[in-house]
Amino acid sequence: MDISGQDSDFKSLAETALGRGALSKFDDGQSAFLVEADFLHAVAENIEVKIDNSKLLDPSTQRFIDSKKISEDFGVIMHDGWKRLLEHYGGGPAIEREVVSVSGITKMLDKNPMRLGVSLKKSTDKGSSTTKLQKYVQINKYYTDQKILFAIAHELQFPDHCNFRIWTIGDSPRPFRFTRFADFKSIIGDADAIQVELVDTSKEKTNINYPDPWNVGEVKQMMSQEGGYASQRTALYCQGYEISFNEEERKLQFDPRYGNSNYGQQSNITPPEFRGLVGLQSLGNTCYMNSALQCLLHTPLLASFFLSGKYKQEIVKENKLGTQGQIAEAFAYLMKQIWGFGCKDKDKDQKKEQQKEKDQQKDNGKGILKDQRQQQKKKDQEKDLDYEKGKGKENDEKERKKEKKKKKKQN
């Protein structure tokens, strides 16, 4: 690449890194490299300077300064872009953070993820003891409970059949369970460290005290099957809402990004990374309506309510003042189209239904015609029978007259 072309490429990279919605270009779990804004502005103006990310870090703790804002104080760049900038301009240090998809829609960045110390707790006959610290696990505050558990089990390389419990550390360690990052952080406090106990759940050892242990295989399954429930709960909590679902409601919770077994069996499903990224065409005066619809279509609980089919239980078709569910059905159809769950073309469906009705009418018409013919045939047969009967009567009458004449002649 020539120098002018390379400068243009770097300029585009810098502008994209500082642009609005830069995080939306990242996939869930992908690494983002945070780069100081002054350097990116200099690159956009073709000024040769070294990368200086030290401005983003607290000199005493080397933690990322929480008050720094994306697009204003720093930009985000993918690994390949960071590598090219580093090779050309030099400097540093590298600040790498994980991008997390919350509710399958919003991409979030934890500037200071927890560096969780994990030690393995071993049970002995006399009591409990803890081995030396084995691993450090990076925990993002936007993680769901299942993702936190998975990160711990994965780092310790637990196989799927293992069962484990998490303990606090300190003078009075205790096992605990949690449902979100805030609970987890509140329980372990400032220690940012836990103990993990492997639990034997065989028949010989069933006297396991509360709380019940987690199973590694079930945690992995929950991440895929109940990602919607967990991510919606996390998203609402991050927005300041406190919400909980009972077991029956949990089954109906649905995260559009991950899908479920009902929609997953269809072949024309939109890939997860593209779901929901659909615009609504304006008819000239529907732009405000489209904006309102997009807000409704991307509201996690509302999307869950319609995509799961739960809305059908609330339709009252007997209400003469309502629309008998027509508006709800239309909105559900639009929701499925936006989220790409194998929603078929409506016109094609209508044409198929119309053709089906025509075929049924033809079949019914053929049946009616056949009945009419059978009835006509029966009538004709009855006429023939009547005619034969009438002809027989005439012959009998003639015979009687002949008999009478013979009798008269004899007399």
Side-chain angles (χ1 to χ4, degrees), residues 306-320:
F306 278 91
L307 291 173
S308 66
K310 189 178 180 181
Y311 74 96
K312 293 179 181 179
Q313 302 172 14
E314 307 298 330
I315 294 176
V316 183
K317 293 189 176 182
E318 295 76 17
N319 183 5
K320 295 181 179 179

Side-chain angles (χ1 to χ4, degrees), residues 101 103-107 224 254-260 263-279 294 297-298 307 335-342:
S101 178
S103 190
I105 300 168
T106 308
K107 304 294 175 59
S224 59
F254 181 79
D255 184 345
R257 189 173 191 274
Y258 296 100
N260 67 7
Y263 292 111
Q265 294 172 355
Q266 301 183 26
S267 59
N268 52 339
I269 298 253
T270 304
E273 61 268 24
F274 298 115
R275 290 181 188 169
L277 303 180
V278 181
Q294 288 284 19
L297 293 165
H298 289 82
L307 291 173
M335 183 76 77
K336 292 174 186 177
Q337 278 192 315
I338 291 294
W339 286 106
F341 289 114

Side-chain angles (χ1 to χ4, degrees), residues 52-109:
D52 184 10
N53 283 337
S54 61
K55 299 176 184 178
L56 302 174
L57 304 175
D58 187 310
S60 58
T61 62
Q62 290 301 300
R63 286 173 56 84
F64 198 94
I65 302 172
D66 286 323
S67 60
K68 299 292 184 181
K69 297 180 180 179
I70 190 170
S71 297
E72 294 181 15
D73 303 302
F74 67 93
V76 287
I77 293 179
M78 295 183 186
H79 179 266
D80 290 343
W82 166 253
K83 186 178 178 181
R84 284 158 49 207
L85 288 176
L86 192 62
E87 289 175 352
H88 183 82
Y89 294 96
I95 304 175
E96 183 180 0
R97 297 291 185 266
E98 180 185 1
V99 176
V100 177
S101 178
V102 178
S103 190
I105 300 168
T106 308
K107 304 294 175 59
M108 304 298 289
L109 189 75

Side-chain angles (χ1 to χ4, degrees), residues 125-144:
D125 295 335
K126 295 181 179 180
S128 295
S129 63
T130 304
T131 64
K132 64 179 181 179
L133 199 62
Q134 290 187 332
K135 298 283 186 178
Y136 282 98
V137 184
Q138 188 164 287
I139 303 295
N140 194 300
K141 69 180 179 181
Y142 298 108
Y143 277 0
T144 63

Side-chain angles (χ1 to χ4, degrees), residues 151-179:
I152 294 168
H154 178 73
E155 195 65 36
L156 294 176
Q157 298 181 350
F158 288 162
D160 287 1
H161 68 271
C162 281
N163 300 286
F164 67 98
R165 287 194 296 186
I166 294 177
W167 290 64
T168 60
I169 63 169
D171 297 333
S172 302
R174 63 183 178 87
F176 67 94
R177 290 180 72 93
F178 62 96
T179 57

